[in-house]
Structures are given as structure tokens and as C-alpha cells.
Amino acid sequence: MPDQPNILFIFTDQHRLSAVGAYGETPCQTPNIDRLAREGVRFENAYTTCPVCSPARATIMTGQFPHAHGILSNVHNLGCSIQELEDRPQLLSRKLEAAGYNLGYSGKWHLGTDRTRAYGGTNVPSLPSTVGFEGQNFPGHGNGGFKFPEYKQYLADNRSEHRVKPWNEKTTCIWPMGELEGPVQSTVPYFLAENTISMIDRFGAQNKPFFIWHNFWGPHGPYYAPAEFIDLYRGQEILPWKNYSWHSRGIAGPHHVKIHPDHERLTWDDWAMAIRYYYAFATLIDSQIGRIIEHLEKTGMLEKTVIIFSADHGETLGSHGGLTDKGWHHFEETHRIPLISRFPNQAYAGSVLQELISLADIYPTLLDIAGTTCDPQSIHGTSLMPLVNGKNIEWRDHVVTEFHGVNQLSNTQRTLRYGQLKYGYNCCNEDELYDLGMDPDETRNLIRHPDYQARAHDLRHLFAEWMKQFGDPAGWMYQNVLRYHRD
């Protein structure tokens, strides 16, 4: 691998593992992502630091857990301590810039806005351009990217429109989704790929390596795709999630926030149709990943480029008794994420690593690949390159995901995975404990089971040590939990 290879970081939004073929049997077709896994390294047990967009993305830029970087919910939501990502030398973009990299950005940002006033006072905007990136500069969430002037101008230049056909399926439209009237060239994913391809050409003509962060808005809803992608799944049998019959209404917990309001009136056929559209959107995105890879091949840059594919978090999509979206629970559907890396000349091709990985590991890994360093005391992740290189190193035996709230509501939850056990701390409800070895679909809370009391005790203390090690400010209140459960 070159001392300073190009780096292409492809990041999707709300991408559950059932929408990545490389992670197991699924109807969803993702041949280009699967190619990256076949020619590179797939991490089997990667977890987000937070199943919410802005906090997870801020972890990429800072290498820290949300409780430390302060973006605790989606920016400008109630409960978010930091509303705009502040520019500073320690940001990933500035560290790579200092290492000699050109920086390019495509797509969703969601780490700040272009607002100059907020909450009755002044606001300092944060955009890709304010932290060193060239390229697209979209403020806020973007809501799919459909309304930005740049996209509208792209459509006008290509005599196209963004138009969604009226819903004509026989099932209930349970979430914004639909068939696009135009060709693939009129879609937002195609538009984003065009931007990345143009930056590859521009940066490739210079005598410097590049780092391009390519961010799709999907498969986060709305699930829109042209007919050629939706047709792939028409008539495709979609089997119920194994935990679909979980009695979500009858079990107390914060997850009630995300039970579909019409759950009792919906049928599995309604959910299956939504999943078809979700998979169609994922396949559309995969096709544009393929276009970018093909362009790197055509220009002779593929074997000079490290490609990393991941997502901010997953998606429930009706699992666990009709849950929607993300947040408010501890389940694998939203916490476990895809993570795949392809290296020049297909080094490490076909490798599958089982270690517990955190999204916080991306920051030091990217700096390691770029040949630069960071202060290990200021971040919470560890470079993955020693694992990739097969070095016999001591690695963590547990990984933690935080949740602080979303959609203008707040809550404190932490999820700790240790081996096949998962402990879930709920600040205002009974804790949870799942044995993924015997119950991979997480349908049985074992927190009161007599056979698991010793293990629950150990996990609580392990979690308390994690809070102390990483300075989680909720740690002092968690001491009350330990006092209650002390021997």
C-alpha cells in the first residue's frame, strides 16, 4: 500500500445489515458493496457509538463518544448540547489536511447548519467548507437532498424532474416511499456520485493524495427509487422478522416512542412492501457505489485508493413488534452496522474479523492509513490497522453504544456488548439483558432471570468501569444502580 494512499470513505444513512448482501442471506441485492467485502476486509461485529445521525457523524470527525464531543442528538434538536461542529485542529478533516491531503465532500452533512441565529442568540454555522472540505456544502439534515438548489439546477441542466408517482400498491403506505418517474440519472444518489467522480478527476490531476467523504442520504427514508430497482423486488417473498411478533405494546420500556402508531392495524404484507422499497433504495445506492468504483478503475486509481464503507446506524423497519426508525432501545437492528474496507491490490481479500469494533475506531484508522497520528488520550477509538495486518495485539472485549434522545425528546441509555451478552441501561426503566448466543433476535429480557444474576452483576460493574474510563458524565448517577444491586 502506498505511504499515503487516496482514501474514499463511503457512508450511508440508516443502513441495516439485512440490506447488505455480504452480511448474510437476504433478498437485498448489493453486488458492489459485496465486491468490496470479497476484495477486502469485513468486520462482523461493528457497532455505532449512537444510533442517531448527528452524534454518530460527529464521532467520525472527532474520534470521541457523543458524551464527550457534545453532539448528543440531531443538531438543533432539544437535548443536543453542541448544535454546530466547531472547527479546530483536532478534527479529522484538519488532521488529514495537515498531513497533505486534498479534502472532498459529497452529500449529507448534518453536523451543522447555515443559521446565523438560533435559540434567541447568535449561531456560528458549521458546514463542510468551514472545516476544510471542498465539494458539496449542504446544511442541516437535508431531508433526502431533493430541495437543494444545486440538485434542482442539476435536474434542470439535464432536463429531468424529481417526481414521485402516486402510491398504487395494494398495501398501506406506512412510511414515505414511492416510485420515481425519472431514470436513474435523475436521482439524488446519481447526483452525489457525479460530484464524487468529478472530485476524483480534479484531485487526481494534482500531486497530492485525496480524502473524499461520500455521504448518501439513504436508505434512510423516504424510500424512493426508479422502477428498474423496485421491479427487482416485485413478487419477492419477504419473510417476517423473527422478532416481528414480539409484544412491543405489552412490554414496558422507552421503545414505546417508536412503535408505529398503526401497528395493531397493519399486517405483515404492509411491512413487507415497505421493506421492498427500502431494499430498492439500497440497491440504487449500491449501483452508484459501483459507478464510483468503476471510475476509479478506469482512471487507474483503484489500486492507489483505500475504500471504506460504513453507516451511521441501522433501521428497525417493523422489527421487534412494529418499531420504526431508530433510538429508544438496545437492539442489533440499529446498533450493529456494516463496516468493510478494501485496500490497494486486494490486500487482505476475503478477510472477516470477529472483534468488537466501535465507530470511534474510524478516526484513528483513517489517520493511521494516511500516515499521521493523534493523541490517543484525546480520543476513544483505536486504529483497526493492527487487526487488519494480523498482528497479535490485545483488543477490547466489550463495546458501548450511547443514546441521549432524538426528535426533540431526551433519554439516557447505554448498551454494552460483552461476548454474547448485551446489557442495556435505561435511566428511567428496568435494565435489559440479552443472550445473543441463545436469543439472537433479542426477544427475552433476562435481567431478572436467576441464572443470569451473577453475569448481570459483572456487566454492571464492567459498564461502570467503562463510564469511569471514558468520563461519561452520567456515571455518578449510575452509582445509584450499583448501590441498589450491591451484594
Side-chain angles (χ1 to χ4, degrees):
M1 185 168 70
D3 290 339
Q4 285 195 310
N6 302 317
I7 304 171
L8 172 62
F9 183 34
I10 301 172
F11 212 51
T12 52
D13 187 4
Q14 209 150 306
H15 202 151
R16 59 179 290 146
L17 289 183
S18 72
V20 182
Y23 277 88
E25 186 176 352
T26 174
C28 192
Q29 301 177 34
T30 54
N32 297 291
I33 298 172
D34 299 349
R35 173 190 172 181
L36 295 178
R38 193 169 57 251
E39 298 180 358
V41 181
R42 181 171 64 83
F43 297 88
E44 179 69 18
N45 295 299
Y47 285 82
T48 185
T49 52
C50 181
V52 179
C53 304
S54 296
R57 292 162 189 274
T59 290
I60 297 294
M61 287 292 282
T62 65
Q64 298 175 333
F65 287 105
H67 74 256
H69 62 58
I71 298 181
L72 302 179
S73 184
N74 284 336
V75 292
H76 293 275
N77 269 209
L78 298 179
C80 188
S81 297
I82 303 296
Q83 307 295 348
E84 309 275 345
L85 181 69
E86 181 184 11
D87 188 19
R88 51 190 183 272
Q90 295 79 21
L91 291 183
L92 174 67
S93 54
R94 294 305 187 187
K95 295 284 288 184
L96 290 172
E97 182 182 51
Y101 275 72
N102 281 320
L103 307 177
Y105 203 91
S106 290
K108 179 176 178 175
W109 175 236
H110 213 188
L111 288 173
T113 67
D114 55 1
R115 303 179 190 181
T116 56
R117 295 192 63 80
Y119 301 103
T122 58
N123 185 67
V124 179
S126 176
L127 295 166
S129 62
T130 66
V131 297
F133 287 104
E134 301 178 37
Q136 292 174 332
N137 209 40
F138 300 128
H141 180 283
N143 298 309
F146 313 118
K147 297 181 180 180
F148 286 120
E150 294 88 342
Y151 175 60
K152 291 182 177 180
Q153 186 60 54
Y154 166 81
L155 291 177
D157 292 343
N158 290 276
R159 298 181 180 180
S160 295
E161 291 182 284
H162 174 79
R163 185 178 298 172
V164 184
K165 292 183 179 181
W167 184 255
N168 64 354
E169 304 287 359
K170 295 179 181 179
T171 57
T172 302
C173 185
I174 65 175
W175 197 259
M177 54 189 171
E179 180 182 320
L180 295 173
E181 288 194 353
V184 64
Q185 290 81 1
S186 68
T187 65
V188 170
Y190 193 98
F191 163 68
L192 300 182
E194 284 288 283
N195 184 70
T196 289
I197 287 169
S198 69
M199 288 191 296
I200 289 171
D201 289 341
R202 186 166 74 254
F203 292 152
Q206 302 176 33
N207 192 28
K208 292 174 66 175
F210 63 71
F211 170 73
I212 296 175
W213 190 0
H214 181 102
N215 291 266
F216 288 102
W217 266 286
H220 186 296
Y223 314 143
Y224 294 151
E228 65 181 279
F229 297 95
I230 295 172
D231 287 346
L232 292 172
Y233 300 99
R234 291 197 189 280
Q236 171 70 56
E237 182 181 20
I238 304 293
L239 296 175
W241 307 124
K242 292 180 180 179
N243 52 31
Y244 177 67
S245 60
W246 187 70
H247 193 23
S248 56
R249 295 273 189 212
I251 297 173
H255 67 271
H256 279 248
V257 174
K258 287 295 181 177
I259 301 173
H260 195 288
D262 296 323
H263 173 54
E264 284 73 16
R265 293 186 291 276
L266 297 174
T267 68
W268 175 251
D269 287 342
D270 297 321
W271 284 109
M273 187 60 71
I275 293 166
R276 290 186 184 98
Y277 276 80
Y278 178 83
Y279 286 168
F281 192 12
T283 303
L284 165 61
I285 288 168
D286 179 83
S287 73
Q288 299 314 298
I289 293 174
R291 282 185 64 226
I292 297 170
I293 296 172
E294 183 180 347
H295 189 76
L296 286 169
E297 279 186 302
K298 185 173 68 175
T299 56
M301 283 190 275
L302 180 61
E303 306 309 341
K304 302 175 184 177
T305 303
V306 174
I307 303 174
I308 298 178
F309 167 78
S310 192
D312 52 2
H313 54 79
E315 158 74 81
T316 47
L317 207 59
S319 58
H320 273 99
L323 298 185
T324 65
D325 204 32
K326 71 271 185 177
W328 308 96
H329 55 78
H330 303 280
F331 300 136
E332 295 282 277
E333 293 97 303
T334 58
H335 287 36
R336 192 163 152 238
I337 56 174
L339 177 59
I340 296 168
S341 299
R342 185 197 187 277
F343 295 89
N345 302 311
Q346 301 185 37
Y348 322 110
S351 299
V352 179
L353 300 182
Q354 301 291 337
E355 285 83 357
L356 294 171
I357 307 301
S358 170
L359 196 64
D361 298 329
I362 297 295
Y363 176 101
T365 300
L366 291 171
L367 295 182
D368 197 356
I369 291 170
T372 189
T373 59
C374 59
D375 176 10
Q377 300 304 312
S378 67
I379 64 168
H380 298 147
T382 304
S383 173
L384 300 173
M385 291 311 298
L387 288 180
V388 170
N389 287 318
K391 293 184 178 179
N392 185 20
I393 62 170
E394 185 176 347
W395 193 256
R396 69 173 71 91
D397 61 7
H398 60 282
V399 65
V400 171
T401 297
E402 303 183 6
F403 180 71
H404 303 268
V406 70
N407 304 132
Q408 310 296 350
L409 302 175
S410 297
N411 188 28
T412 297
Q413 291 178 288
R414 303 287 188 270
T415 308
L416 180 145
R417 176 166 172 193
Y418 172 82
Q420 291 298 313
L421 295 176
K422 180 186 283 188
Y423 167 70
Y425 167 58
N426 299 316
C427 74
C428 54
N429 201 73
E430 185 173 49
D431 291 346
E432 298 171 46
L433 177 63
Y434 299 98
D435 186 334
L436 299 177
M438 73 168 203
D439 179 26
D441 301 299
E442 300 167 291
T443 60
R444 188 181 180 193
N445 183 6
L446 301 169
I447 199 66
R448 296 189 185 188
H449 196 290
D451 293 347
Y452 283 81
Q453 292 310 295
R455 280 171 279 190
H457 171 275
D458 293 344
L459 290 173
R460 288 190 182 102
H461 282 269
L462 179 62
F463 175 53
E465 285 299 315
W466 178 92
M467 297 179 97
K468 181 179 179 180
Q469 178 184 357
F470 292 104
D472 189 330
W476 72 281
M477 287 296 292
Y478 189 71
Q479 293 303 311
N480 293 335
V481 176
L482 295 184
R483 289 176 62 190
Y484 176 75
H485 290 285
R486 65 188 172 189
D487 296 329

